[in-house]
Structures are given as C-alpha cells and as structure tokens.
Amino acid sequence: MRVAMIGTGYVGLVSGTCFADFGHVVTCIDKDATKIDALNNGEIPIYEPGLQELVAKNVEEERLFFTTDPAEAIRQADAVFIAVGTPTRRGDGHADLSYVYAAAEEIAGLIDGFTVVVTKSTVPVGTGDEVEAIIRKTNPDADFAVVSNPEFLREGAAINDFKRPDRVVVGTESSQAVEVMQELYRPLYLNETPIIVTKRRTSELIKYAANAFLAVKITFINEIADLCEKVGANVQEISRGIGLDNRIGGKFLHAGPGYGGSCFPKDTLALSKIAADANTGLKIVDSVIEVNAARKKKMAQKIIDFMDGDVNGKTIALLGLAFKPNTDDMRDAPSIDIVEKLQEAGAKLRAYDPASMEEASKVMSGVLFCDGPYHAIENADVVVIVTEWDQFRALDLERVKSLVKDPKVVDLRNIYKPDYMTGQGFEYESVGRSY
C-alpha cells in the first residue's frame, strides 16, 4: 500500500519507517527543509536504538522517501497519517491542535480517490470530528474516512513496540476504512496482535486513559516509597510483592524522581482539561499531576538533605539527564527541576548523559557537560544517579572512590543495593529503601 506520513517527529518517523519495513511504500513529509535534507542524507534527528539502520535499509530498498512537497504522495496514498505535534497550549493546558488542523486542510485539497485520513497524533476527544469537518468544508467532493489510530510507542523501545504491539486501536465507523487499516497492519496478524475497532471518540480517549493510568502507577509507588522511608520498609520488595498480582502487574512500579517525557505530562494535563470541559472531575489524575510536579523538586531536596542541608559551593556530579534511558528526550525530564533547585542552593554541577547532553544544553545553563561518567565525578562532593542508563549500573567503584572528594552517592533509580554500597565504603542514599 501507499502511505503518506505528515510529520517526521518521533511518532511519524518511527511509524513511517516501520510501515516501510512491513513492505508498504511510505513518504514522510515535513515542512522543515533542514530536517528533510538531513534525513535524505542519512542523518536521524532523534536518538532511538536501531532506527538509523532501519531507515537506511528501507531508503536503499526504495520503500521510504522524505520530502517537503506533499502533493504527489498524498494523491497516491491509500492512507494519509497525521503525526504532527500536539504540545500543551501555552496558558490553558489544552492540547494545541493547530498543526493537526493545518494538516487536515492541506490533505483536503490533495486527496484523490478514496483515502483514509488517520490521526496518529495524540488528540482530545472530538478532534476526528473536527478534522472530518475541515476536509469536508475544504473539499466537499472528497471521498475519505477519518480514523483514529493512537500510538503506544515507548521511547527507547519504539521499533519493537510498533512491530510487536500489545494491541492496535482503530477508531472509525467506516467498514471500508477498517479494511484499509487491517491491510496496513496485516504483517502483525502473524503475531496474533489484537486489532480493536471502536468508534472514533472512544479510540481518542483510549490513548489518554492508558497514559493517565500508567502515570497513576508511577506516582502511587513514589508515594509508597516516601512512606517506606518513614516506617523502615523497602519499596522494591513492595513493588515485587504487589506486582506479582496479575491484576496489578509489575511494570511502572519503580520508584524514582517522577515521570517526564513527551507524553505523560502533556497527556495527563490534557485529559484533565477534557474532563473539566465536560463538567466531570478526574480527581485522581489531577492529584497525580500535582504530586509528580512536586516530586522532582523533592528529589533535589533529598540530595540537599543528604549533604547535611547545605550544598552551597559543593560540586555535584549528575549521571543521566534524559527522562529515561535509551533516548535523548529532555522534555519535562526530572533533571531539569533537580538542576534548577540545586543551582538555587548554590551547587556547582557537572553532568554526563550518553545521548541527551546536546538537548540538555538547550534547557540548562551553568552545567559543565562532561565526556563520560568518570569525567563527571572528578572532585565531586556527591554523585547522583538521575537516569538508569546501563553503563551506570556497573561503575568501577574503586575508580569512583579515587576520583571523588567524598565517597557519597545518591541513587534516585535504586540501581545499586544499599548494603553492597556501604560495604564498598560509600555513604549511600536511595529512594524508598531503609535497608
């Protein structure tokens, strides 16, 4: 099949590349000529394991193309995906849909023959109705159907998530559109991936509900971690004890500095606004937003408290900056708030992240970005593990001790065991573990 993918951000680039790898002919479209030129030269604008190789393979096999001119690709397309950004709108917290609506208007003037227009972007309930109205108004004779097909990609594991998903959600009342979507995802039938067909508004809400529920799990276990520290319990053992219950599950029960990234902060806020507009409260989601925002600064205070309440003039080494490992995404990363509060307290900061330092430099100032973990910890008064990259899980602790001023570690991801670290001669602090 022929696919046009509007937007070459995280979702559009990964989805378009994976569709091409399924055997479809995909054209990825973006107004940013610099980005398209870079992609045509084999340069990938995001960090995602395996993506560069997959793009190169499908470009070479002439199934994947990049362009700034949408006309030919959209006219030939069986399906046109809208995968543009829906950032939080400045001032009111709603999702900014201006890019989605602009794409819909552009698509309307170009489609030729029956075309499925697919919203891949995360959009509030009713957006598909508006996209349909825009296309109908712009081109009354157009033969099309608007489908909601939310993405469920985890940064750092996006290719595997696309090719081996838990489910594919398709929101439409058009049987013809369902046939097109089933053909697009036909390779997944080999894995017996369930395709859930719902009405469009239900599909749009599934994405928000899923992300909000995961954010609830993260925030819940973080609050349990705080309780553990007060009563002498171990949050990791609690996570295992409750996670083995199949009704709960063990994923997203890892205590830490709070959630960040491109999805959870934006989507929980948007869901809260959707509910407010519908005159129904989502008190749990509202509490999660509030608690998570406070969580990040609370982790900075944890570091200050560990340093006897004073970090003024102290050198702090931060290992990891991205909101999670295997990505360079700094959007709403906990490290941003941690850095800000530590700097306000007078600390000097050295930092290393394997992928995100270029992005971090756009949102942080006054931080010395280092060449590696051992460079970062030179002459540090305390080492803080902020992101659980694999290379931080097996540091040469003797080398660490030889480089730091004091053998002190604050582990915000619980990747080391307390008794092991104290046995190695470190003063050690983690999250939610009194032993």
Side-chain angles (χ1 to χ4, degrees):
M1 303 191 79
R2 290 191 171 270
V3 174
M5 186 71 63
I6 299 180
T8 59
Y10 193 89
V11 173
L13 184 56
V14 171
S15 300
T17 302
C18 288
F19 274 132
D21 209 49
F22 283 171
H24 304 304
V25 177
V26 180
T27 302
C28 291
I29 303 157
D30 203 291
K31 292 185 181 298
D32 186 339
T34 302
K35 183 185 286 188
I36 292 299
D37 288 343
L39 286 164
N40 280 321
N41 288 324
E43 300 168 17
I44 308 300
I46 59 174
Y47 179 86
E48 178 63 35
L51 183 58
Q52 184 155 8
E53 295 80 4
L54 204 63
V55 168
K57 171 191 170 189
N58 284 280
V59 167
E60 183 179 350
E61 295 176 4
E62 298 185 345
R63 288 191 301 268
L64 182 61
F65 303 89
F66 301 102
T67 184
T68 56
D69 183 2
E72 184 179 357
I74 291 177
R75 288 193 189 102
Q76 294 180 353
D78 300 291
V80 180
F81 283 78
I82 299 175
V84 295
T86 54
T88 299
R89 195 165 64 195
R90 191 180 297 275
D92 63 7
H94 286 277
D96 183 351
L97 299 175
S98 57
Y99 302 110
V100 173
Y101 295 154
E105 192 167 344
E106 186 171 43
I107 291 165
L110 295 172
I111 53 177
D112 183 13
F114 179 72
T115 307
V116 177
V117 179
V118 188
T119 51
K120 199 71 172 167
S121 305
T122 300
V123 295
V125 178
T127 302
D129 299 348
E130 185 63 26
V131 168
E132 184 174 328
I134 289 169
I135 296 174
R136 188 71 65 201
K137 179 181 179 181
T138 306
N139 186 355
D141 298 324
D143 185 12
F144 71 100
V146 175
V147 170
S148 168
N149 177 219
E151 56 85 17
F152 301 99
L153 306 179
R154 295 169 300 159
E155 294 188 43
I159 293 170
N160 186 70
D161 285 351
F162 193 97
K163 291 188 170 187
R164 297 169 183 81
D166 299 315
R167 75 290 199 199
V168 173
V169 177
V170 174
T172 182
E173 294 171 57
S174 164
S175 58
Q176 192 175 359
V178 170
E179 290 177 6
V180 171
M181 296 303 290
Q182 287 176 330
E183 181 62 23
L184 277 171
Y185 285 106
R186 185 169 55 83
L188 298 181
Y189 292 171
L190 297 173
N191 299 333
E192 299 183 348
T193 297
I195 295 183
I196 301 170
V197 179
T198 74
K199 290 190 175 182
R200 196 163 58 205
R201 285 182 167 233
T202 300
S203 173
E204 289 169 338
L205 194 52
I206 284 172
K207 169 67 174 180
Y208 281 112
N211 276 356
F213 188 80
L214 296 175
V216 168
K217 288 187 75 174
I218 293 169
T219 306
F220 172 80
I221 204 62
N222 282 338
E223 291 206 307
I224 293 295
D226 290 345
L227 179 59
C228 287
E229 292 178 2
K230 298 293 186 182
V231 301
N234 186 313
V235 73
Q236 285 185 312
E237 293 174 5
I238 290 174
S239 295
R240 180 168 169 76
I242 64 176
L244 288 170
D245 185 330
N246 290 331
R247 296 168 300 175
I248 297 173
K251 293 182 178 179
F252 290 86
L253 287 178
H254 303 290
Y259 61 76
S262 63
C263 293
F264 288 2
K266 171 176 69 73
D267 293 351
T268 49
L269 188 58
L271 182 60
S272 176
K273 297 298 182 182
I274 292 167
D277 288 349
N279 295 314
T280 184
L282 289 178
K283 291 184 179 179
I284 292 174
V285 176
D286 291 341
S287 295
V288 164
I289 294 168
E290 180 184 349
V291 170
N292 189 69
R295 181 76 182 173
K296 301 170 185 180
K297 293 188 183 301
K298 191 172 188 176
M299 292 299 99
Q301 188 60 50
K302 186 181 189 71
I303 298 164
I304 295 170
D305 291 344
F306 180 71
M307 299 298 289
D308 298 322
D310 183 14
V311 294
N312 187 35
K314 300 289 178 65
T315 299
I316 299 177
L318 303 178
L319 300 186
L321 296 168
F323 87 97
K324 62 180 286 189
N326 297 320
T327 181
D328 63 349
D329 198 340
M330 286 295 299
R331 286 173 287 185
D332 282 296
S335 62
I336 297 172
D337 291 280
I338 292 170
V339 163
E340 182 180 324
K341 183 158 184 174
L342 291 176
Q343 287 178 329
E344 287 174 357
K348 301 173 184 177
L349 299 177
R350 299 165 64 91
Y352 171 72
D353 187 285
S356 71
M357 289 192 292
E358 182 178 346
E359 292 302 312
S361 67
K362 300 173 184 176
V363 293
M364 296 175 180
S365 59
V367 176
L368 177 64
F369 297 105
C370 299
D371 297 331
Y374 299 107
H375 182 206
I377 65 179
E378 284 180 9
N379 296 313
D381 293 285
V382 61
V383 177
V384 181
I385 299 171
V386 182
T387 311
E388 66 277 31
W389 286 89
D390 283 346
Q391 66 179 265
F392 303 151
R393 294 178 180 273
L395 294 170
D396 182 340
L397 297 180
E398 288 301 319
R399 185 177 177 188
V400 172
K401 279 195 293 185
S402 73
L403 292 171
V404 295
K405 290 180 186 175
D406 292 306
K408 295 181 177 181
V409 173
V410 178
D411 182 357
L412 299 182
R413 297 293 182 170
N414 291 350
I415 64 177
Y416 289 95
K417 293 184 181 296
D419 56 353
Y420 175 76
M421 291 299 287
T422 55
Q424 294 294 313
F426 285 88
E427 285 185 59
Y428 178 78
E429 176 77 0
S430 58
V431 178
R433 299 186 299 180
S434 57
Y435 62 91

